[in-house]
C-alpha cells in the first residue's frame, strides 16, 4: 500500500488532485487534543482552506464554479417554492394556449360562414347588379358542387332541346309517318321528364337556388312559378298552336286547365303559409353566443318543406304534359312540343337582347 505521503485526494469542488502531505497537521491535532469533535472542526477549517487554495490556484484555468453547486447549497424550502412557482407558470401557459386554440377555431368557423354569405351575395349580384345575363343560360357560378353539376347538365339539356326542336320541325315538314313522329314526341316528353329529375336533385343541394329560377335567364324568371313554368298559363300559350281541336278536345283541355289552376292555387297557398310561419319563427328567434337558439333549428326543419313544394310543382308540370299528350293526336302533340320549345327559346333570346341593349350613359 502506498504511504500517506504518496496518496492523492480529490478536491470536492474543482476535481483537482493535491498531495495529502498536509494531512500530517490533522494527525498532530488528533494526538495533541484527543478530542474527536475538536479535531473534526479543525478538519473542516483546514478543508475549507484547502478548497480556497485550490480554487485560487486553478481559477485562471477552469474559471468560476458552476451555478449548480450554488443552487445545491440553497435551503430546501426555497427550492420547493421555486418548483411550485414553475408549476403554476406552466399551468397558466397551458390555459393560455388552450384559449388561443379555441379562439382560432371560433375564428375559422366565422370565416367559413362569412365566405358562404359572400358567395351568396356574389351569386345574387350576377342577376341584380350590372352586367345582367352576360351568360345566356344565366348560370351563377356557385361553388356548391351539386348546383355546379346541375348547371352543366342543364347547359347540355338546352343544347339537346334545341337539336330536338330542329329535328321535330323537319319531321313535320317532311310529313313522316305517325309511328316515326310518335318516337320523336316520346323523346321530347322524356327530355322534359329528365329536367324535372335533375331539378329534384338540385333542390336537395340548394332549394333556394332552384325556386328562385337562378339557373334560367331573366325573361324566363319573369314567368317562373316555384322554379318552373305555370302549367295553366302554358296551356293558354300553346292552345292557339294546336288548332283545330275537336269539341271533346276543347272540353278536355278546358278541364285540364281548371284542374291545373286548382292545384296551383293549393301549392301557392301552402307556400304563402310556409313563408308566413317561417318569417314569424325567424323574427322570434335570437342569435346566441356562438350557436343558434332553438327557434332557428325549427326554422331549418321547416325549410325542408320547400324541397317538397318544388317536387310537387314539377309533378304537376309532368302530369300536365302527359295529359296533353293523351288528349292530342300524335301530330298535334308534335306541334305542341315544337311550340313549347320555341317559346322557351324565344324567351332566352329575349333575355340576351335585353342584356345587350344600348344604354344611355349615366
Amino acid at each position: 500500500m502506498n504511504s500517506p505521503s504518496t496518496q492523492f485526494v480529490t478536491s470536492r469542488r474543482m476535481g483537482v488532485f493535491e498531495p495529502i502531505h498536509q494531512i500530517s497537521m490533522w494527525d498532530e491535532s488528533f494526538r495533541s487534543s484527543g478530542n474527536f469533535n475538536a479535531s473534526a472542526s479543525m478538519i473542516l477549517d483546514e478543508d475549507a482552506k484547502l478548497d480556497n487554495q485550490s480554487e485560487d490556484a486553478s481559477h485562471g484555468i477552469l474559471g468560476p464554479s458552476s451555478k449548480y453547486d450554488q443552487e445545491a447549497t440553497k435551503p430546501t424550502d426555497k427550492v420547493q417554492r421555486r418548483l411550485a412557482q414553475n408549476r403554476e407558470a406552466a399551468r397558466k401557459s397551458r390555459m393560455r394556449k388552450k384559449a388561443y386554440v379555441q379562439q382560432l377555431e371560433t375564428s375559422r368557423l366565422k370565416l367559413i360562414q362569412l365566405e358562404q354569405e359572400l358567395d351568396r351575395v356574389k351569386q345574387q349580384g350576377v342577376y341584380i347588379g350590372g352586367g345582367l345575363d352576360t351568360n345566356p343560360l344565366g348560370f351563377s357560378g356557385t361553388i356548391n358542387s351539386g348546383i355546379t353539376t346541375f348547371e352543366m347538365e342543364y347547359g347540355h339539356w338546352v343544347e339537346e332541346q334545341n337539336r330536338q326542336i330542329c329535328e321535330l320541325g323537319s319531321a313535320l315538314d317532311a310529313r313522316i309517318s305517325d309511328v316515326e313522329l310518335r318516337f320523336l314526341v316520346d323523346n321530347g316528353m322524356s327530355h322534359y321528364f329528365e329536367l324535372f329529375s335533375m331539378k329534384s336533385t338540385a333542390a336537395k343541394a340548394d332549394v333556394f337556388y332552384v325556386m328562385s329560377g337562378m339557373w334560367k335567364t331573366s325573361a324566363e324568371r319573369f314567368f317562373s312559378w316555384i322554379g318552373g313554368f305555370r302549367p295553366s298559363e302554358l296551356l293558354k300559350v300553346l292552345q292557339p298552336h294546336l288548332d283545330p281541336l275537336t269539341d271533346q278536345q276543347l272540353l278536355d283541355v278546358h278541364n285540364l286547365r281548371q284542374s291545373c289552376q286548382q292545384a296551383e292555387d293549393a301549392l301557392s297557398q301552402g307556400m304563402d303559409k310556409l313563408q308566413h310561419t317561417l318569417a314569424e319563427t325567424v323574427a322570434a328567434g335570437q342569435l346566441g353566443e356562438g350557436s343558434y337558439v332553438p327557434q332557428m333549428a325549427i326554422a331549418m326543419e321547416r325549410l325542408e318543406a320547400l324541397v317538397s313544394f318544388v317536387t310537387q310543382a314539377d309533378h304537376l308540370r309532368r302530369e300536365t304534359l302527359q295529359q296533353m299528350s293523351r288528349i292530342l293526336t300524335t301530330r298535334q302533340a308534335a306541334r305542341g312540343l315544337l311550340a313549347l320549345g320555341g317559346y322557351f327559346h324565344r324567351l332566352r333570346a329575349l333575355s340576351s337582347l335585353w342584356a345587350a341593349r344600348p344604354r344611355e350613359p349615366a
Side-chain angles (χ1 to χ4, degrees):
M1 179 179 294
N2 295 330
S3 63
S5 61
T6 60
Q7 292 180 5
F8 288 83
V9 65
T10 304
S11 173
R12 291 199 308 273
R13 296 195 178 190
M14 304 307 301
V16 179
F17 290 95
E18 295 287 347
I20 70 167
H21 62 272
Q22 298 176 1
I23 296 179
S24 58
M25 294 186 299
W26 304 345
D27 294 336
E28 293 176 357
S29 299
F30 285 167
R31 288 192 296 268
S32 62
S33 64
N35 189 333
F36 179 80
N37 293 331
S39 300
S41 62
M42 293 179 64
I43 292 173
L44 292 176
D45 292 338
E46 292 299 329
D47 189 36
K49 291 179 182 180
L50 177 61
D51 290 340
N52 291 334
Q53 292 174 1
S54 301
E55 181 176 355
D56 294 337
S58 60
H59 185 273
I61 301 175
L62 298 177
S65 61
S66 66
K67 294 183 179 180
Y68 172 81
D69 294 316
Q70 297 176 4
E71 291 292 334
T73 62
K74 289 185 178 180
T76 305
D77 58 339
K78 291 185 178 180
V79 175
Q80 294 297 330
R81 190 160 52 248
R82 176 64 63 83
L83 292 176
Q85 291 175 352
N86 291 342
R87 286 194 296 268
E88 180 65 17
R91 186 184 67 83
K92 292 181 178 180
S93 177
R94 289 192 298 269
M95 291 179 62
R96 287 194 298 269
K97 182 179 180 181
K98 183 177 180 181
Y100 179 69
V101 172
Q102 291 177 346
Q103 183 180 5
L104 288 178
E105 180 64 16
T106 301
S107 300
R108 186 184 69 84
L109 295 176
K110 289 182 179 180
L111 180 60
I112 293 175
Q113 293 177 355
L114 289 175
E115 289 176 346
Q116 291 175 347
E117 291 298 326
L118 181 61
D119 290 332
R120 288 188 180 278
V121 171
K122 288 181 178 179
Q123 186 183 78
Q124 295 174 358
V126 174
Y127 305 99
I128 299 175
L132 289 173
D133 289 317
T134 54
N135 187 327
L137 297 179
F139 296 166
S140 67
T142 175
I143 62 173
N144 187 310
S145 60
I147 297 303
T148 301
T149 301
F150 171 76
E151 290 178 341
M152 295 176 59
E153 292 177 345
Y154 181 67
H156 297 315
W157 187 92
V158 171
E159 294 176 356
E160 177 62 19
Q161 186 191 42
N162 292 335
R163 188 195 67 78
Q164 289 186 0
I165 290 175
C166 294
E167 185 178 16
L168 198 57
S170 300
L172 286 172
D173 292 339
R175 295 184 176 277
I176 62 175
S177 65
D178 287 353
V179 175
E180 295 174 308
L181 195 58
R182 171 53 63 179
F183 177 77
L184 297 179
V185 169
D186 290 342
N187 282 343
M189 296 283 289
S190 298
H191 193 56
Y192 281 101
F193 300 161
E194 180 183 353
L195 175 60
F196 301 150
S197 178
M198 289 162 48
K199 287 173 59 183
S200 177
T201 302
K204 296 175 182 177
D206 190 346
V207 65
F208 292 110
Y209 171 85
V210 176
M211 286 196 62
S212 64
M214 296 179 71
W215 44 283
K216 291 177 172 290
T217 58
S218 55
E220 289 177 292
R221 292 198 304 275
F222 182 72
F223 296 99
S224 182
W225 172 78
I226 313 184
F229 61 83
R230 187 183 288 268
S232 61
E233 293 297 328
L234 197 63
L235 290 176
K236 295 179 182 178
V237 173
L238 294 181
Q239 186 167 343
H241 298 276
L242 304 177
D243 291 334
L245 295 173
T246 65
D247 293 341
Q248 184 61 46
Q249 286 177 322
L250 288 172
L251 180 61
D252 291 340
V253 171
H254 174 74
N255 292 336
L256 178 60
R257 186 187 306 155
Q258 284 189 328
S259 298
C260 288
Q261 289 176 342
Q262 292 175 359
E264 291 166 6
D265 291 342
L267 286 174
S268 297
Q269 290 174 5
M271 283 287 298
D272 291 341
K273 183 177 180 180
L274 175 62
Q275 187 180 35
H276 178 72
T277 304
L278 187 60
E280 288 183 340
T281 303
V282 174
Q286 295 180 356
L287 184 61
E289 183 68 20
S291 62
Y292 292 97
V293 294
Q295 287 87 343
M296 300 303 293
I298 296 174
M300 291 292 292
E301 292 178 359
R302 289 176 177 173
L303 282 177
E304 296 293 336
L306 289 177
V307 178
S308 176
F309 277 105
V310 173
T311 302
Q312 293 181 57
D314 279 343
H315 179 73
L316 179 59
R317 286 183 271 264
R318 180 190 182 110
E319 288 296 317
T320 302
L321 290 176
Q322 289 180 328
Q323 288 295 330
M324 284 297 295
S325 179
R326 297 188 185 100
I327 293 172
L328 303 176
T329 64
T330 299
R331 292 194 175 273
Q332 288 174 332
R335 294 205 308 270
L337 285 176
L338 183 62
L340 183 60
Y343 174 71
F344 290 129
H345 179 76
R346 286 189 291 273
L347 285 178
R348 290 191 286 269
L350 178 61
S351 298
S352 298
L353 291 174
W354 175 255
R357 73 189 187 281
R359 296 176 176 84
E360 297 181 0

